[in-house]
Structures are given as structure tokens and as C-alpha cells.
């Protein structure tokens, strides 16, 4: 097995130790990273002519059947041996190190360091910029020492050196004060230490190689588990080719053809060719994890030897009643890194499907954080099933793969399920906001502690006040730049870092952390702002003042994430119009798209458009609401069964429900209504009614929890009525999105309706319509009615967006809808 690993990645895995900190959310502000780089350059430049900066070092060894290359860049190396005029610095104050064996080489490696400003004849310098107070630093961190020792060993071996100094140089990023720790090592000590390090690494490599051999052998033997459904083989072939060609593919495919298997099977097959090392199966909702899990487990029952981790959100997997990563309060955070490698190895050695219950079992056994344990498992599993945000969201993405030194390209494939959801999700991920009142609130909360953080909170608030004065009567204002505010926010961020370090476990710590994390996110997003963003500020309904960085078009940010892998497959039953999604999600001319036609018998469903009603806001009257109810009543009266009605809002739902009378309802009809913010148990009870009854009339919300991702097959659902084209409610960001796309060159000439209206309203709305309509006809034996209620559906601008299979749609009115329904059900009398 050939392996290349960076020195930093190696030591950060093997030598990690200590607690999880509540003051780290897994992201480092760009300002902090820039400050760190600046400190590096400053120290390196000041060190003089005998100081070589950013020295590349590499070493390859063959061990246990593995060819291992360890490489990295030493921050600095001083080698005075070639300087005739220089004398070797006296190192009498450096502690002499005895040669040791075994794990003691690891246990004492950060001990015996002395503070010193002098340099030895040959020295490795490792520079670390930190916000922590240097006076509180009694010695170097274990992982920092290990990184420098690797460089020392490689350099000593290459240059025949018997003794070498290692210095860890800590610099406070704010004050630029410095503190040095130095120690002298013999080559014999470093050799014993490095051999032990390689032995520990080989343990993990042996595990991974054995698993990879077993996996690839079973993949070669694996056959497709079923007879291919119509369209399924076509999709699988296109997925395989896209991965082979390292392309992104968009797949519009109907429900019922087996999209999950058609995506996973060819992707897993690609492991054998070496083109794929990991699959990320991405979903919009936790409940959607069940389908890929069942698909993989089905293949495993037939002999496939893969492993899979299903990542559960931190708040859903945490052991504590109240999630708090403070090691003083959480025993699983305290000392987590001291124990996690042992827990991880045990879990990976015994489990193939690592879900929430499995993770919690091992986390409790070893007293480690279950969420962090599951993230570590993703490094060693073939398939990672998780929410979109673990790949795309800069606040939550898996830094092990997509951030920092580990964020280089890998042989990853991204399978993006229900990809129509990603546009709005991604826009939100790459947007950020701050609220003026939060600054005043925090200032009041911590004013008793004093310090410069109070001054900077006040300074930022004054800047926000000036922006607030510019807001016109319509409530929002677009800003070309907020550079003045941005500079003050950066200063505040640095002050908050110092405050959190100095004050420690104060009662207000949680509130300070929440503010700090939001500010960090805002500053990180500010670094991404480009032509795809609009900066605006707004007076909110509650009177508060907000400044927002709004990502209108997230394609560039998504594409930068996709570039970390080799291929992405976006698939959905409603990714129409596909050009819109291609532009919003990746916007690359090399992307490909395919359309898989529905294999189901068209005679099993009838699609009707009610042409004499409308849900236009300006024409909403009691008469319109009564007519909508008359349509609903016609549908449920034509045949006893279960039906769903999807409304654009709760307000309209209530209006139409108010037109209903018990006298008009068919006998024994049971009306159930989706409520706002339903708990999981309430959702289950709602759906269970469709299993228990055959006379359910359910009032639901378009785009809501019952409009997608549920399967009510057979007689559990025989009709869906969609009220209106699902246009999003008018709001500031929809207005800004419309203006953004209207301002593009040539936009006005392309369509009768503007680009802006289509992108901001029509396309998101029609997708909700398709999703709701898709609740009916989930299998080849399903039979049912789809009724679209709004005269706008009869126009060309909407019908051109319909799926190809909808070319048999029928237009009706209240005068003949009963006839259309009777005819359909008469022809399906075998279901009566």
C-alpha cells in the first residue's frame, strides 16, 4: 500500500490529546489565519541569513508492506555549520536526553523543554501563532513538539547530524509577544521515537488495507441485486461514465425507478478501478438517511464488504441534557482526545454500519464525545451519509476533508439526493447577518468586566447606527461596501478571542460564545463576497436592524467544494427546469444532464387543471375560496379514498377550510390538518391515519414536511390537489434576487417574463407543485388523480416547465370536473 501523508496530518491524528474546547466551533477566522501567516513571515525575515524558511522535507520508508512517504515544510531551519565566522552557540542550558524505547518516547516528548532565546548550531524552528496568553503557557503542546521532531529526524538523517535542537516559537497574534521552548535531541532518541510513530501509523494502515482488499474483492463479485427497472440501468450507466470522466451529472428521474440504487451501485463499482476512495451521500433531511442505508445494507447482505457511517447532528447525538462542550461541564469533552483513538479503532474493527446507536455505545464505553467520534469515523469508512451542510456549509463542513491542510482534492464522489433542495439551502449556508441590538445586549451583559472588548462593541454599534440612518421608508438599503464596519468587526473579533481566554468560565460565557461564533461566521462569509452577493441592511419587523451578506447565486461556492472531489451526481424527481439548477448549483459548461422518463402507465393517473379559479393575491375573494372547495369536494366525492390538498400558506388553508360544511362532505370523511411546527410524534400519527383509514382528507402546506419524502403507496393515497403555483412569498431577498437576475445583460429579451421573476418566484414555486403532485403514483400499480388549481397552469409559460410525461394534462372547469373524474374512475373499476 502506497501512502503519502503530511507531517501535520500525521501528528495531529496520532498525538492529539486533551479536551474539546467550547470556544472552537471547528472554524478559524480568515483574519486569524492571515495574522498567523503574517507572524510567520515576520519571524522568518527577522531571523537572519542563516535561517532558511519554509524548508520542504520528505522521507519515504517501507514498513509492514507499506510504502510510506511523510512530507511537510519546516517553518525554519538554522544550520551554521558552513559559516566559518560563526561559533556554535553554547547549549549547556539544554537538557540532555537519554535514549528511550517504547511508548515512553511519546509520553515524555513535551517534557524537559526550557525557555530560551538562543539558537544551537542546528535547529528546527516550529512557529505557532496563538491568542492564548503566553504567561499561561508552561510548556509546548505535545502535537507541536511532534511536528518539529518529525522535521528534526528527517533533516538529521538526510544530513548526518548526531544532535539537533528543536524550538517551539509561540507568538501572541494580538500583542506579537513571543515565547520560546527549546530542547536538544540525539539522533538515536529521534530514531526510536520515529520508529514508534511509524509502528502506530502502520496499525491503522494494516486495518485500512485489509478492509480495502476485502471490499474490492467483494465489489468485483457484486452483481446488481434486482432485475433492472425501466430507466434504472440507463441512469446507472450515465453515473458510471460521469465518474469515469470526472464530470458532474444532473439526473431528472421519476420516483419509483430506484434512483438510490442506480446512483450507489455504479459508484461502489468504481472503487475497484481506484478512481473512487470515498462516497458522500448527501441528503436534505435526517429522515432521508434511511433509504441509502437500506440500499447499502441490502448489498452487504449479498456479500459486499463496505463500511458506512451515518452522521447525526450534534444536538441529536449528545449525551447531555443541555449541549455544552465546556470540558468543565461535560465529562465526554474532558480528555476526549486522550481516549478517542482507542475508541475509534475498536469501533471500526467491529462495526460496518456506524449509526447513531453504534456511535453512542462506543462513545459511552470510552467516555468520548459521540459527535466527534462519528466525524473521525468518516476518515476510515467507504460511505459517509450526511446532511448537505457537512460538505457545503463553511460553518459545519468536514474539515478533515474540505478545510485547511486536509482540504486537498481527493477521489471523492458526491451523491446529492433530492438536489432541488440545495439551491435555497446553499444560499442560506453562504449568507450571514449581524443584528445591531445584539451588540448592545452583549455590551450590557459583560460591561462589568471592562476591557477593550467593551470599547469595540460600542464602536461597532456606532457604525451600525450610521448605516441604520440610511435605510429608506421601504425598510432596506443595498450597500456597495461595508469596509468601515468590517474593519471594526475584525478588531472586535480579536478582542473577543482575548476576552474568552482571559475571563475563562464566567456565567455569561455561553452568550459571549454564541455572539463570537456568529461574528466569526460573518467575517468568514465576508471574505467570500463577490459578484454573486448582495450586501443589504434592513429594519426587521420586530424593530431590530440587520446587516446581511446575501448569497444570491451559490454556484461558485458550491463548485469550490465539488472541486475537492472528482464527480458529483445531482439527482431528483423534480429537478426541473434542469438548466436553472445547473446554473445555480455549479454553473460549469462541462456539466451534463439526463432525463429519465417515467416507466409508469399513464392510464393509471389523470392530471387535471382547474382553469376557472385563481390564487393570485389581488383576486383572492370568498368566491374564489368557495370554488376551490367545490373542486376539492368533487374530487373526494368521485371515489372514496385518501386525499391530500396542498396550499401555499396556512392563511389560505384556513380560508378554504372555512368554506367546508359537514353537509357537503362525503359520509365518514375524516379531515386532518397539518399544524405549524409539528413534533416528530405528531407527524407519525398524521401519516399513520393513511394506513388505518380509507376516508382521509388531509390539508397540508406546499413545500412542507408532508409535501416530499413520504411514500403513501397503493390505496393509502389516491389523489393530490395542488392549490396555486407555489410562488414564494414576497420578501426582501426575493425582491433582491429578482433585481439581480433582471440586471444581467440580455435578460429582458430572453423571456416574456423577466429572468428575475422566473429565478426568484416561478422556478422555486413550480418545484413545490411537482413535489406535491409526486405524492401520488409512487409505484407501477398506483392509481390516482392530480388536480392543479389555478388558471395560470393553463398558460404556456407554466406548461413548458411540465415534465414530458404531463403532455396529456386535461383542462377542466367546475362545469365538467365531475365528468372527468367519473370517466377516469369508471375505467379503473377494478379498484372499486
Amino acid at each position: 500500500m502506497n501512502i503519502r501523508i503530511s507531517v501535520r496530518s500525521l501528528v495531529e491524528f496520532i498525538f492529539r490529546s486533551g479536551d474539546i474546547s467550547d470556544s472552537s466551533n471547528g472554524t478559524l477566522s480568515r483574519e486569524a489565519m492571515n495574522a498567523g501567516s503574517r507572524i510567520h513571515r515576520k519571524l522568518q525575515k527577522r531571523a537572519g541569513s542563516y535561517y532558511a524558511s519554509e524548508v520542504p522535507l520528505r522521507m519515504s520508508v517501507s514498513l509492514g508492506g507499506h510504502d510510506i512517504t511523510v512530507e511537510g515544510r519546516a517553518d525554519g531551519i538554522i544550520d551554521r555549520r558552513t559559516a566559518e565566522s560563526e561559533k556554535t552557540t553554547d547549549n549547556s542550558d539544554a537538557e540532555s536526553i537519554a535514549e528511550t524505547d517504547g511508548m515512553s518516547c511519546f509520553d515524555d516528548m513535551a517534557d524537559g523543554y526550557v525557555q530560551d532565546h538562543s539558537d544551537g548550531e542546528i535547529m528546527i524552528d516550529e512557529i505557532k501563532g496563538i491568542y492564548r496568553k503566553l504567561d499561561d503557557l508552561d510548556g509546548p503542546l505535545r502535537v507541536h513538539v511532534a511536528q518539529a521532531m518529525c522535521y528534526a529526524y528527517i533533516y538529521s538523517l538526510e544530513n548526518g547530524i548526531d544532535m539537533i535542537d528543536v524550538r517551539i516559537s509561540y507568538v501572541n497574534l494580538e500583542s506579537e509577544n513571543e515565547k520560546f521552548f527549546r530542547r536538544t535531541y540525539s539522533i538515536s532518541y529521534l530514531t526510536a521515537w520515529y520508529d514508534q510513530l511509524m509502528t502506530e501509523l502502520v496499525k491503522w494502515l494494516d486495518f485500512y488495507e485489509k478492509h480495502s482488499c476485502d471490499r474490492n474483492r467483494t465489489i468485483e463479485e457484486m452483481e446488481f441485486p434486482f432485475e433492472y427497472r425501466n430507466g434504472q440501468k440507463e441512469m446507472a450507466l450515465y453515473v458510471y461514465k460521469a465518474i469515469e470522466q470526472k464530470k458532474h451529472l444532473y439526473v431528472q428521474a421519476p420516483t419509483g425507478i430506484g434512483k438510490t440504487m442506480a446512483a450507489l451501485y455504479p459508484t461502489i463499482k468504481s472503487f475497484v478501478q481506484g478512481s473512487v476512495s470515498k462516497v458522500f451521500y448527501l441528503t436534505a433531511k435526517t429522515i432521508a438517511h434511511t433509504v441509502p442505508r437500506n440500499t447499502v445494507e441490502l448489498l452487504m447482505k449479498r456479500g459486499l464488504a463496505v463500511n458506512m457511517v451515518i452522521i447525526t447532528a450534534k444536538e441529536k447525538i449528545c449525551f447531555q441534557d443541555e449541549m455544552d462542550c465546556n470540558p468543565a461541564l461535560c465529562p465526554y469533552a474532558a480528555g476526549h482526545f486522550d481516549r478517542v483513538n482507542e475508541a475509534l479503532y475498536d469501533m471500526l474493527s467491529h462495526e460496518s454500519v456506524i449509526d447513531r446507536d453504534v456511535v453512542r455505545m462506543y462513545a459511552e464505553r470510552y467516555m468520548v464525545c459521540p459527535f466527534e467520534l462519528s466525524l473521525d469515523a468518516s476518515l476510515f469508512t467507504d460511505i459517509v451519509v450526511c446532511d448537505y451542510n457537512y460538505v457545503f456549509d463553511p460553518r459545519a463542513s468536514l474539515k478533515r476533508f474540505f478545510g485547511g491542510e486536509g482540504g486537498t482534492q481527493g477521489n471523492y464522489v458526491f451523491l446529492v439526493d433530492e438536489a432541488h433542495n440545495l439551491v435555497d439551502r446553499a444560499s442560506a449556508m453562504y449568507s450571514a447577518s449581524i443584528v445591531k441590538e445584539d451588540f448592545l445586549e452583549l455590551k450590557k451583559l459583560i460591561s462589568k468586566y471592562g476591557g477593550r472588548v467593551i470599547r469595540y462593541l460600542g464602536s461597532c454599534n456606532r457604525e451600525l447606527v450610521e448605516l441604520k440612518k440610511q435605510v429608506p421608508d421601504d425598510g432596506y438599503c443595498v450597500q456597495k461596501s461595508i469596509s468601515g464596519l468590517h474593519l471594526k468587526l475584525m478588531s472586535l473579533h480579536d478582542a473577543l478571542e482575548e476576552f474568552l481566554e482571559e475571563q475563562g468560565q464566567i456565567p455569561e460565557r455561553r452568550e459571549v460564545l454564541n455572539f463570537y461564533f456568529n461574528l466569526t461566521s460573518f467575517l468568514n462569509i465576508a471574505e467570500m463576497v463577490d459578484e454573486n452577493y448582495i450586501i443589504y441592511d434592513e429594519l426587521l419587523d420586530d424593530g431590530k436592524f440587520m446587516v446581511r451578506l446575501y448569497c444570491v447565486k451559490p454556484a461558485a461556492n458550491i463548485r469550490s467544494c465539488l472541486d475537492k472531489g472528482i464527480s458529483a451526481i445531482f439527482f431528483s424527481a423534480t429537478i426541473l427546469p434542469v438548466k436553472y439548477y445547473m446554473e445555480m448549483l455549479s454553473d460549469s459548461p462541462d456539466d451534463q444532464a439526463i432525463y429519465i422518463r417515467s416507466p409508469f402507465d399513464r392510464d393509471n393517473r389523470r392530471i387535471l387543471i382547474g382553469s376557472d379559479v385563481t390564487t393570485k393575491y389581488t383576486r383572492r375573494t370568498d368566491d374564489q375560496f368557495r370554488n376551490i372547495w367545490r373542486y376539492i369536494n368533487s374530487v373526494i366525492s368521485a371515489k372514496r379514498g385518501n386525499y391530500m390538498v396542498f396550499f401555499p400558506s396556512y392563511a389560505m388553508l384556513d380560508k378554504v377550510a372555512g368554506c367546508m360544511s359537514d353537509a357537503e362532505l362525503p359520509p365518514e370523511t375524516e379531515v386532518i390538518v397539518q399544524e405549524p411546527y409539528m413534533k416528530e410524534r405528531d407527524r407519525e400519527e398524521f401519516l399513520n391515519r393513511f394506513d388505518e383509514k380509507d376516508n382521509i382528507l388531509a390539508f397540508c402546506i406546499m413545500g412542507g414536511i408532508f409535501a416530499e419524502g413520504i411514500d403513501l403507496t397503493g390505496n393509502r393515497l389516491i389523489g393530490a390537489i395542488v392549490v396555486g403555483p407555489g410562488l414564494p412569498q414576497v420578501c426582501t431577498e426575493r425582491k433582491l434576487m429578482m433585481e439581480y437576475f433582471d440586471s444581467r445583460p440580455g435578460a429582458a429579451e430572453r423571456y416574456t417574463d423577466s429572468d428575475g421573476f422566473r429565478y426568484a418566484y416561478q422556478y422555486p414555486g413550480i418545484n413545490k407543485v411537482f413535489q406535491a403532485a409526486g405524492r401520488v403514483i409512487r409505484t407501477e400499480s398506483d392509481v390516482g388523480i392530480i388536480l392543479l388549481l389555478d388558471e395560470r397552469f393553463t398558460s404556456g409559460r407554466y406548461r413548458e416547465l411540465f415534465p414530458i410525461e404531463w403532455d396529456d394534462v386535461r383542462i377542466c372547469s367546475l362545469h365538467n370536473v365531475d365528468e372527468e373524474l367519473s370517466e377516469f374512475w369508471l375505467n379503473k373499476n377494478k379498484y372499486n
Side-chain angles (χ1 to χ4, degrees):
M1 180 177 179
N2 296 318
I3 176 74
R4 288 181 61 183
I5 187 169
S6 71
V7 170
R8 181 174 174 179
S9 296
L10 173 62
V11 300
E12 284 184 350
F13 178 71
I14 299 296
F15 291 108
R16 52 186 175 167
S17 61
D19 306 332
I20 294 174
S21 170
D22 64 351
S23 60
S24 174
N25 65 347
T27 63
L28 184 64
S29 72
R30 292 174 185 261
E31 287 71 31
M33 291 187 284
N34 291 337
S37 299
R38 177 172 50 79
I39 289 295
H40 273 64
R41 292 192 298 269
K42 182 176 180 179
L43 264 64
Q44 290 165 343
K45 185 176 180 180
R46 193 185 67 191
S49 59
Y50 300 105
Y51 189 101
S53 303
E54 303 297 330
V55 180
L57 295 170
R58 177 184 296 179
M59 181 176 183
S60 298
V61 296
S62 294
L63 191 64
H66 308 287
D67 294 324
I68 305 168
T69 298
V70 178
E71 57 190 359
R73 287 181 177 270
D75 290 334
I77 298 179
I78 292 178
D79 192 338
R80 302 178 187 268
R81 291 173 302 168
T82 58
E84 294 180 1
S85 61
E86 290 287 330
K87 302 296 182 182
T88 302
T89 303
D90 180 15
N91 287 313
S92 59
D93 61 345
E95 186 172 325
S96 176
I97 306 301
E99 295 180 20
T100 55
D101 297 310
M103 287 305 292
S104 61
C105 293
F106 290 168
D107 293 339
D108 75 341
M109 69 184 192
D111 298 331
Y113 269 75
V114 295
Q115 290 187 45
D116 191 72
H117 292 267
S118 62
D119 299 334
E121 184 178 52
I122 307 168
M123 186 180 74
I124 302 293
D125 190 21
E126 184 64 27
I127 304 170
K128 298 296 179 185
I130 60 175
Y131 282 105
R132 184 177 173 183
K133 271 188 169 183
L134 296 183
D135 290 343
D136 297 336
L137 201 61
D138 297 326
L141 298 184
R142 199 166 178 244
V143 68
H144 297 161
V145 176
Q147 189 172 352
M149 287 176 69
C150 283
Y151 296 137
Y153 175 67
I154 296 171
Y155 190 77
S156 296
L157 213 61
E158 287 179 349
N159 293 276
I161 299 168
D162 293 328
M163 300 292 290
I164 190 170
D165 278 11
V166 165
R167 186 177 75 179
I168 314 299
S169 303
Y170 288 104
V171 186
N172 185 280
L173 291 175
E174 292 178 321
S175 67
E176 299 192 7
N177 292 334
E178 303 163 358
K179 192 169 188 176
F180 303 90
F181 296 94
R182 184 177 58 82
R183 187 176 180 182
T184 303
Y185 291 97
S186 68
I187 184 61
S188 57
Y189 181 92
L190 289 173
T191 300
W193 176 86
Y194 193 83
D195 287 347
Q196 186 66 30
L197 172 62
M198 289 296 102
T199 300
E200 185 68 12
L201 175 62
V202 165
K203 179 184 80 171
W204 291 94
L205 296 180
D206 285 344
F207 163 79
Y208 187 76
E209 184 175 43
K210 181 182 184 305
H211 169 73
S212 298
C213 290
D214 292 343
R215 179 196 67 204
N216 290 349
R217 174 182 51 78
T218 59
I219 289 175
E220 288 178 337
E221 299 168 355
M222 179 178 69
E223 296 182 355
F224 199 79
F226 315 110
E227 182 178 341
Y228 281 105
R229 302 176 190 177
N230 290 335
Q232 192 176 35
K233 187 173 186 179
E234 180 185 1
M235 177 177 168
L237 287 172
Y238 272 101
V239 170
Y240 189 85
K241 289 178 181 177
I243 295 170
E244 187 178 53
Q245 297 169 2
K246 299 184 178 180
K247 303 283 188 183
H248 303 322
L249 176 68
Y250 289 77
V251 181
Q252 160 66 31
T255 297
I257 71 159
K259 291 190 292 293
T260 303
M261 182 65 80
L264 274 168
Y265 179 80
T267 306
I268 293 171
K269 275 289 188 182
S270 299
F271 274 92
V272 177
Q273 283 72 39
S275 56
V276 176
S277 63
K278 196 173 297 290
V279 181
F280 292 90
Y281 193 104
L282 310 177
T283 70
K285 299 176 182 177
T286 302
I287 194 171
H289 293 173
T290 304
V291 177
R293 174 186 180 144
N294 291 344
T295 302
V296 173
E297 286 184 329
L298 187 150
L299 294 172
M300 292 171 72
K301 288 176 182 176
R302 300 187 177 217
L304 178 65
V306 295
N307 55 13
M308 169 175 61
V309 62
I310 301 166
I311 297 178
T312 304
K314 182 186 285 190
E315 60 271 16
K316 294 182 179 179
I317 201 172
C318 181
F319 289 122
Q320 304 294 86
D321 293 334
E322 188 173 348
M323 191 178 72
D324 192 331
C325 298
N326 185 341
L329 301 175
C330 177
Y332 302 95
H336 165 88
F337 292 112
D338 299 329
R339 303 179 294 271
V340 68
N341 278 8
E342 187 179 0
L344 180 62
Y345 191 83
D346 189 8
M347 183 171 71
L348 290 168
S349 299
H350 296 95
E351 309 292 342
S352 296
V353 178
I354 301 172
D355 61 7
R356 178 182 181 273
D357 292 339
V358 168
V359 170
R360 284 171 64 94
M361 179 177 70
Y362 283 90
E364 194 161 29
R365 181 183 301 172
Y366 288 91
M367 288 297 292
V368 296
C369 170
F371 180 67
E372 290 294 330
L373 179 61
S374 69
L375 299 188
D376 280 342
S378 68
L379 287 166
F380 297 91
T381 51
D382 306 308
I383 301 168
V384 180
V385 180
C386 59
D387 189 273
Y388 296 155
N389 63 341
Y390 291 103
V391 170
F392 300 118
D393 192 337
R395 306 166 183 86
S397 62
L398 295 168
K399 301 301 182 290
R400 293 152 178 82
F401 302 99
F402 310 117
E405 192 170 334
T408 56
Q409 186 182 39
N411 293 332
Y412 312 138
V413 172
F414 306 107
L415 302 180
V416 186
D417 197 359
E418 301 292 352
H420 61 274
N421 287 305
L422 185 55
V423 174
D424 286 344
R425 281 285 304 276
S427 177
M429 289 174 192
Y430 297 114
S431 300
S433 58
I434 53 174
V435 175
K436 173 189 172 297
E437 285 69 21
D438 292 345
F439 290 75
L440 289 176
E441 207 171 297
L442 184 65
K443 183 180 178 183
K444 181 178 178 181
L445 186 68
I446 63 173
S447 59
K448 61 185 177 183
Y449 298 103
R452 66 194 192 103
V453 68
I454 304 301
R455 294 196 304 274
Y456 284 123
L457 282 166
S459 176
C460 290
N461 180 66
R462 287 190 293 274
E463 190 73 23
L464 289 166
V465 168
E466 292 303 312
L467 289 173
K468 184 178 180 180
K469 291 177 181 177
Q470 301 173 24
V471 177
D473 294 338
D474 57 5
Y476 71 93
C477 179
V478 174
Q479 301 287 348
K480 289 184 178 180
S481 171
I482 52 168
S483 55
L485 174 63
H486 186 249
L487 288 172
K488 292 182 179 180
L489 292 174
M490 290 169 59
S491 298
L492 173 60
H493 188 270
D494 291 344
L496 280 167
E497 292 268 12
E498 180 183 340
F499 180 85
L500 286 165
E501 185 65 39
E502 287 181 349
Q503 298 300 330
Q505 303 303 322
I506 57 175
E508 302 85 358
R509 184 174 180 83
R510 173 166 292 186
E511 290 81 0
V512 178
L513 279 173
N514 289 338
F515 182 93
Y516 164 73
F517 289 148
N518 186 67
L519 179 58
T520 301
S521 174
F522 187 89
L523 290 172
N524 285 338
I525 295 297
E527 295 293 332
M528 300 180 181
V529 170
D530 57 13
E531 68 276 6
N532 299 301
Y533 278 78
I534 294 175
I535 303 173
Y536 75 95
D537 45 47
E538 181 178 25
L539 284 170
L540 303 176
D541 291 339
D542 59 3
K544 294 182 178 181
F545 177 69
M546 175 187 71
V547 176
R548 185 157 174 82
L549 311 174
Y550 170 40
C551 181
V552 186
K553 182 181 174 185
N557 291 330
I558 292 176
R559 193 167 60 246
S560 69
C561 297
L562 299 180
D563 287 344
K564 300 293 172 64
I566 60 169
S567 179
I569 313 299
F570 300 90
F571 55 102
S572 170
T574 60
I575 196 164
L576 294 173
V578 71
K579 288 184 178 180
Y580 161 73
Y581 289 97
M582 294 174 76
E583 180 179 351
M584 296 296 282
L585 295 178
S586 57
D587 201 14
S588 172
D590 295 330
D591 294 348
Q592 302 169 340
I594 59 169
Y595 187 105
I596 307 292
R597 296 187 67 122
S598 173
F600 301 142
D601 187 351
R602 289 152 58 111
D603 292 338
N604 281 350
R605 76 338 175 231
R606 177 157 293 185
I607 306 172
L608 300 172
I609 297 176
S611 62
D612 51 354
V613 289
T614 183
T615 60
K616 282 185 177 180
Y617 187 78
T618 56
R619 293 173 56 190
R620 292 181 184 179
T621 64
D622 290 342
D623 285 342
Q624 290 291 343
F625 298 139
R626 278 192 292 270
N627 287 341
I628 290 170
W629 166 245
R630 288 174 61 192
Y631 268 110
I632 295 169
N633 196 44
S634 291
V635 171
I636 64 177
S637 299
K639 179 175 176 60
R640 182 186 175 99
N642 294 335
Y643 297 88
M644 282 183 150
V645 185
F646 294 94
F647 295 93
S649 66
Y650 282 103
M652 183 171 288
L653 185 157
D654 291 339
K655 288 287 187 181
V656 174
C659 300
M660 200 168 47
S661 70
D662 294 338
E664 289 178 306
L665 284 171
E668 300 180 349
T669 299
E670 180 181 342
V671 179
I672 58 177
V673 179
Q674 176 183 338
E675 300 292 341
Y677 312 112
M678 293 178 75
K679 295 181 180 179
E680 192 167 341
R681 182 177 178 180
D682 296 329
R683 297 180 193 180
E684 291 175 359
E685 290 178 357
F686 188 94
L687 292 174
N688 286 341
R689 305 302 290 161
F690 292 86
D691 296 325
E692 301 162 355
K693 301 277 187 172
D694 66 347
N695 60 343
I696 296 295
L697 174 61
F699 283 5
C700 305
I701 301 298
M702 257 191 281
I705 53 177
F706 302 118
E708 63 175 292
I710 61 169
D711 280 305
L712 298 173
T713 56
N715 288 329
R716 290 190 293 168
L717 185 69
I718 63 170
I721 302 165
V722 184
V723 182
L727 303 183
Q729 289 188 342
V730 176
C731 65
T732 299
E733 292 194 350
R734 290 293 165 185
K735 292 177 185 176
L736 292 172
M737 186 179 191
M738 191 162 120
E739 292 169 4
Y740 174 89
F741 285 105
D742 276 343
S743 66
R744 298 193 302 180
E749 291 78 25
R750 277 194 287 274
Y751 302 111
T752 303
D753 287 321
S754 69
D755 271 8
F757 176 78
R758 286 175 172 255
Y759 279 65
Y761 294 101
Q762 188 180 11
Y763 294 159
I766 199 66
N767 188 270
K768 293 179 185 178
V769 172
F770 295 153
Q771 282 293 322
R775 296 316 93 207
V776 186
I777 314 299
R778 310 290 293 176
T779 70
E780 60 186 9
S781 61
D782 288 350
V783 177
I785 289 287
I786 297 170
L787 174 61
L788 310 179
L789 292 180
D790 198 294
E791 63 185 17
R792 284 173 283 186
F793 287 122
T794 64
S795 68
R797 65 186 182 187
Y798 276 94
R799 295 187 65 171
E800 69 182 7
L801 302 178
F802 286 0
I804 294 172
E805 297 82 4
W806 282 22
D807 60 354
D808 61 344
V809 65
R810 299 187 181 202
I811 297 174
C812 67
S813 68
L814 283 168
H815 299 296
N816 68 343
V817 65
D818 292 338
E819 181 182 334
E820 288 281 356
L821 294 166
S822 297
E823 179 193 344
F824 174 76
W825 288 119
L826 218 64
N827 291 333
K828 296 297 172 184
N829 55 23
K830 61 181 177 179
Y831 292 96
N832 291 335

